[in-house]
């Protein structure tokens, strides 16, 4: 493809979303169809209340997600399931999970983000379980933020690398690790240069926006997520990583729906909802970097290759077309405001 690849329409292998929150119950009927319309598979985060800590819970949750997709006509959509790592997740649960096709185990440092209270308080408490994960080839998916309240919010990812991730990977050099939703130049540099099996997912919103978006014209809670948006130099490093062709970087939306009134609140919840236009938002970011020709590998190849799963065989087509996503969706008994709702987008999935 030419360097300035600027088509009116293009097709890519159907992508997968390697980091997704869909919640549970009636909320599934809003958010699951959005993802299932675009992606063949999505890696489902386990931070429900209570968290998904057993294989049996994960399989039951998978059935509820699958049913919500099928009810909207997307019966081939495949939810890929994860378990929530706690101080007490038994090592033998890893073997059950592996046999049942659970794809990863998620590390939330306790207190790092939404529904992380049950997360890990001290990595040492998880070492027997991590040992079983290393032995069976079960990936560890990491929310990479240090949690100590004396660390500046904007430095938490960089501090996590030095104080937690590097020591952890020294102790478990063969453990497969995904550094989830990276947001800094430091994380890009670490993932690019580290030894062993490591990769990172990158969201569309961290490719499109810097931290000004949270404060432009007043405080804008729908741009607040964790890890929080960072400075422009970090956004540029993420764009370079996503469009640079390295197989260590792949698509993970971290689409994280919260009811409108919980976002527009004195202490608003963290999470940006992007599933309604996920591939379109990524296409905008890649086009702005003149790298549309790099979108397919990032969205459709690098993820399954890292997880050791087959690449998808179907295709999706994107068309250059101006359209405006709705400002709000019904969401259980309330509403959900998507990112870029009411704004003009320039790509649309056919
Ligand atoms: C996520 C959520 O709401 O579940 N929020 C977010 O800001 N990304 C949790 C997470 O992935 O940190
Ligand atoms: Zn997330």
């Amino acid at each position: 493809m030419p360097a300035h690849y600027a088509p009116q329409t293009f097709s890519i292998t159907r992508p997968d979303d390697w980091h997704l929150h869909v919640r549970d119950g009636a909320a599934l009927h809003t958010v699951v169809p959005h993802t299932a319309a675009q992606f063949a598979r999505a890696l489902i985060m386990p931070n429900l209340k209570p968290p998904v800590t057993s294989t049996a819970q994960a399989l039951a949750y998978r059935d509820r997600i699958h049913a919500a997709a099928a009810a909207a006509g997307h019966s081939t959509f495949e939810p890929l399931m994860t378990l929530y790592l706690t101080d007490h997740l038994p090592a033998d649960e890893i073997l059950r999970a592996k046999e049942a096709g659970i794809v990863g185990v998620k590390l939330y440092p306790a207190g790092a983000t939404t529904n992380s209270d049950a997360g890990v308080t001290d990595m040492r408490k998880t070492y027997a379980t991590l040992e079983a994960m290393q032995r069976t080839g079960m990936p560890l998916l990491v929310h990479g933020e240090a949690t100590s309240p004396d660390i500046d919010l904007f430095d938490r990812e960089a501090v996590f690398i030095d104080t937690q991730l590097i020591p952890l990977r020294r102790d478990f050099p063969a453990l497969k690790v995904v550094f989830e939703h990276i947001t800094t130049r430091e994380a890009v540099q670490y993932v690019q240069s580290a030894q062993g099996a490591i990769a990172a997912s990158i969201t569309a919103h961290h490719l499109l926006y810097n931290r000004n978006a949270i404060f432009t014209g007043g405080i804008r809670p729908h741009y607040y997520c964790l890890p929080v948006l960072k400075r422009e130099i970090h956004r540029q490093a993420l764009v370079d990583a996503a469009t640079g062709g390295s197989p260590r970087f792949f698509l993970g939306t971290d689409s994280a729906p919260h009811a409108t009134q919980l976002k527009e609140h004195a202490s608003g919840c963290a999470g940006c909802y992007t599933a309604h236009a996920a591939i379109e938002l990524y296409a905008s970011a890649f086009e702005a970097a003149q790298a549309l020709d790099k979108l397919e590998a990032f969205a459709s190849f690098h993820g399954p290759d890292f997880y050791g799963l087959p690449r998808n065989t179907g295709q999706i087509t994107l068309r250059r077309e101006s359209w405006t996503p709705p400002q709000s969706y019904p969401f259980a008994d309330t509403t959900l405001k998507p990112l870029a709702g009411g704004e003009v987008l320039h790509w649309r999935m056919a």
Side-chain angles (χ1 to χ4, degrees), residues 244-307:
S246 163
R248 288 189 166 183
F249 299 101
F250 46 76
L251 184 157
T253 62
D254 195 18
S255 178
H258 292 278
T260 303
Q261 72 275 15
L262 298 178
K263 295 285 294 172
E264 299 174 1
H265 189 274
S267 141
C269 291
C272 297
Y273 185 70
T274 55
H276 65 298
I279 199 66
E280 290 90 342
L281 293 168
Y282 280 104
S284 300
F286 274 65
E287 176 157 60
Q290 299 187 333
L292 270 184
D293 58 322
K294 300 293 197 324
L295 180 61
E296 182 178 44
F298 174 79
S300 313
F301 298 160
H302 297 166
D305 293 354
F306 185 81
Y307 279 97

Side-chain angles (χ1 to χ4, degrees), residues 147-201:
T147 53
S148 168
D150 56 346
I151 301 169
D152 189 284
L153 183 80
F154 292 92
D155 296 336
R156 287 182 182 185
E157 186 171 282
V159 171
F160 181 87
I161 297 169
D162 293 330
T163 61
Q164 307 281 322
L165 191 55
I166 290 174
L168 175 75
R169 296 193 66 244
R170 198 180 297 133
D171 290 347
F172 296 96
L175 180 65
K176 265 182 142 174
V177 172
V178 183
F179 197 168
E180 304 273 296
H181 46 48
I182 59 167
T183 63
T184 57
R185 186 171 58 181
E186 288 85 348
V188 167
Q189 287 169 348
Y190 176 72
V191 171
Q192 262 162 355
S193 59
Q195 302 282 312
I198 183 152
S201 56

Side-chain angles (χ1 to χ4, degrees), residues 19-21 45 47 106 108 113 143 180-181 226 254-256:
H19 184 120
L20 180 69
H21 302 269
M45 291 298 119
N47 62 331
K106 181 68 191 264
Y108 291 102
T113 189
H143 183 110
E180 304 273 296
H181 46 48
L226 287 170
D254 195 18
S255 178

Side-chain angles (χ1 to χ4, degrees), residues 3 5 46 90 97 101-103 120 123 129 157 186-187 226 240 254 269 293 306 345:
Y5 177 58
I102 304 294
V103 169
V120 173
M123 285 312 295
T129 306
E157 186 171 282
E186 288 85 348
L226 287 170
D240 290 347
D254 195 18
C269 291
D293 58 322
F306 185 81
L345 298 182

Side-chain angles (χ1 to χ4, degrees), residues 199-277:
S201 56
I202 306 180
T203 78
H205 43 292
H206 289 94
L207 295 175
L208 287 167
Y209 308 110
N210 64 38
R211 65 193 193 175
N212 284 355
I214 311 168
F215 305 106
T216 301
I219 193 153
R220 299 207 289 171
H222 296 284
Y223 290 88
Y224 173 59
C225 63
L226 287 170
V228 73
L229 293 170
K230 303 293 193 304
R231 285 178 182 273
E232 178 63 10
I233 52 157
H234 297 293
R235 189 193 70 82
Q236 284 171 5
L238 296 171
V239 169
D240 290 347
T243 62
S246 163
R248 288 189 166 183
F249 299 101
F250 46 76
L251 184 157
T253 62
D254 195 18
S255 178
H258 292 278
T260 303
Q261 72 275 15
L262 298 178
K263 295 285 294 172
E264 299 174 1
H265 189 274
S267 141
C269 291
C272 297
Y273 185 70
T274 55
H276 65 298

